[in-house]
Amino acid sequence: MINKELSSHVVTLGCSNKFPKGGIAQVLYCYEHYVFEEFNFVTISRKSNMWNNMALFTRGFFKFLFVLMFKWKIKIVHIHTSQRKSFIRSNVFMNLAKVFKKKIVLHIHGGGFKDYYYEKPDFVTKCLRKCDVVIVLSEEWKDFLNSVGFACVIVENVITEPVVHEVADDGKVHLLFLGLIRQLKGIYDLVEVIAEHKDDFRGKMLLHVGGNGETDVLVKMINDLGVEDIVKFEGWVTDEKKIELMNKCKVYILPSYVEGLPLSILEAMSYNMAIISTRVGGIPSLVNDKKNGFLFEPGDKDSIYSSIKSLVDDDKLLKAMSKDNSQHIVDYYPDNVAKKLAEIYQSILD
């Protein structure tokens, strides 16, 4: 963990981490419980309606102002952001931090940040120039920011170590999707593929889907396509349920159109699951096509089908792709993330 002497100089801003839903919330939850010995945190947003978010933003603004005025030890403001509304919100707090002459660390998570940069290059450039350090999640994102003139450092998303236990084998290959239920995550493509080839998959596999979002649309789709015995919607997955599914499932699938560096893939790899996903964001830095999983372009339904069929029909291939996946992600465990953050903070203080 980052010791109290150093962490007492840092205040972290981001979305609510009390009931973690979404990647940034889970990261901040891990920061509070596994990375920082003293975690000074100001909540500035939450997955909620506009009015609740406005109230939370206002409370966060005045709490942050209080911290800046009266907590004299705070020297570094670490802001977790993504794109659009999140980035605009973050800019307000960056401006306030600048008034009080604090150092700013901006931590970019959003998979759509590149598109947002090209939508508003002048605004994003002006904001990034206020920062003392910009953190990104992968080499791909670092290369992009370098290409538009900004130096940055990589700090991997943090995950906790797996809780592994034995699960009875029912003769099926269990697949897992965790994430926001919407088209950009590719979940509807996935269900359509399974429905189109349900005669191939029936009795051989079961896809577990966990998440929130357009859940009514998903459930109706599963029922209308007649794949209730092949696709099971689990609702929002709690910690205990997630551990159960991670141990039961052998394949993790995320046919997403936009990503940064998905925590869900990191967690799946920690449980030695084979990965089926798309060539977006930082995913290719984790998944070596045809080595520890399959990669394809977003929307490629033929590849979704062939990837699932290959792993469902070939147990040797599945075991080979799953083997030692957890060894590739040791940099994402709390001790390693804490070490990198401590080095960044110390360099700013020095």
Side-chain angles (χ1 to χ4, degrees):
M1 298 183 89
I2 301 172
N3 63 50
K4 188 171 183 178
E5 181 181 355
L6 181 55
S7 58
S8 65
H9 294 301
V10 182
V11 60
T12 301
L13 279 65
C15 61
S16 173
N17 68 346
K18 295 305 179 188
F19 303 98
K21 290 188 177 184
I24 301 178
Q26 291 179 58
V27 167
L28 292 171
Y29 179 87
C30 288
Y31 275 20
E32 180 173 8
H33 293 88
Y34 305 105
V35 176
F36 285 77
E37 190 171 331
E38 178 180 319
F39 192 59
N40 302 300
F41 183 56
V42 177
T43 301
I44 60 175
S45 69
R46 180 173 53 219
K47 286 188 180 296
S48 185
N49 63 52
M50 181 182 70
W51 298 111
N52 284 341
N53 256 328
M54 286 177 64
L56 194 62
F57 174 84
T58 304
R59 287 200 300 270
F61 181 88
F62 285 107
K63 181 179 179 180
F64 183 53
L65 184 60
F66 177 86
V67 168
L68 294 176
M69 292 176 67
F70 298 108
K71 290 199 172 185
W72 60 270
K73 291 188 73 174
I74 297 295
K75 295 179 171 60
I76 299 170
V77 177
H78 187 160
I79 304 173
H80 292 259
T81 192
S82 56
Q83 59 271 336
R84 297 186 175 85
K85 290 181 182 178
S86 174
F87 195 78
I88 293 169
R89 235 182 349 251
S90 299
N91 182 51
V92 173
F93 291 94
M94 282 192 278
N95 289 336
L96 195 54
K98 283 304 230 183
V99 170
F100 285 85
K101 296 181 169 46
K102 304 301 181 183
K103 301 293 185 180
I104 298 173
V105 176
L106 189 68
H107 201 140
I108 300 172
H109 294 264
F113 189 80
K114 184 188 294 187
D115 292 337
Y116 181 61
Y117 173 84
Y118 287 124
E119 288 172 17
K120 295 183 178 293
D122 294 338
F123 173 68
V124 175
T125 295
K126 184 178 179 180
C127 293
L128 292 180
R129 284 178 178 162
K130 299 171 187 174
C131 304
D132 296 276
V133 176
V134 176
I135 294 175
V136 294
L137 305 180
S138 67
E139 200 67 46
E140 289 77 10
W141 286 104
K142 181 179 179 180
D143 290 343
F144 167 68
L145 280 181
N146 288 168
S147 73
V148 295
F150 291 98
C152 54
V153 296
I154 298 171
V155 175
E156 290 80 3
N157 269 339
V158 62
I159 59 168
T160 56
E161 297 194 35
V163 180
V164 179
H165 56 74
E166 291 294 323
V167 176
D169 186 358
D170 62 0
K172 295 180 181 178
V173 175
H174 290 259
L175 290 79
L176 180 61
F177 170 100
L178 295 176
L180 190 62
I181 308 301
R182 61 172 181 163
Q183 175 58 30
L184 278 178
K185 290 291 183 180
I187 181 60
Y188 302 137
D189 293 344
L190 176 56
V191 174
E192 286 173 2
V193 167
I194 290 174
E196 186 177 347
H197 301 279
K198 56 189 174 185
D199 291 339
D200 283 351
F201 294 140
R202 184 160 279 134
K204 297 180 180 179
M205 60 151 279
L206 178 60
L207 170 68
H208 302 265
V209 178
N212 60 339
E214 299 171 355
T215 57
D216 292 344
V217 176
L218 177 65
V219 171
K220 184 177 186 303
M221 185 179 189
I222 291 170
N223 292 331
D224 289 349
L225 294 175
V227 290
E228 303 95 324
D229 58 331
I230 314 174
V231 181
K232 182 180 180 183
F233 179 56
E234 303 282 357
W236 177 253
V237 175
T238 61
D239 290 342
E240 289 183 5
K241 185 65 174 180
K242 180 187 282 189
I243 291 170
E244 177 192 335
L245 289 172
M246 288 285 185
N247 279 281
K248 177 180 286 188
C249 297
K250 301 302 181 186
V251 180
Y252 186 79
I253 182 161
L254 184 67
S256 187
Y257 286 74
V258 177
E259 287 292 342
L261 191 68
L263 276 175
S264 58
I265 286 184
L266 296 171
E267 290 173 328
M269 290 179 69
S270 75
Y271 282 85
N272 281 327
M273 295 167 66
I275 308 298
I276 298 174
S277 193
T278 45
R279 290 187 182 89
V280 296
I283 295 173
S285 66
L286 295 170
V287 183
N288 190 341
D289 188 31
K290 298 182 177 60
K291 296 293 184 182
N292 64 331
F294 291 106
L295 291 178
F296 47 86
E297 298 305 316
D300 185 350
K301 294 181 182 179
D302 290 339
S303 291
I304 294 175
Y305 168 64
S306 62
S307 300
I308 295 174
K309 184 169 175 57
S310 294
L311 293 176
V312 167
D313 289 348
D314 191 338
D315 186 59
K316 287 184 178 179
L317 177 64
L318 175 56
K319 288 179 178 177
M321 285 192 166
S322 303
K323 186 179 180 183
D324 298 329
N325 243 351
S326 64
Q327 299 306 307
H328 299 305
I329 57 164
V330 292
D331 287 343
Y332 299 84
Y333 291 140
D335 285 349
N336 295 300
V337 172
K339 182 180 178 182
K340 284 194 173 184
L341 286 174
E343 289 173 353
I344 290 169
Y345 297 150
Q346 197 62 59
S347 70
I348 292 174
L349 294 176
D350 290 342

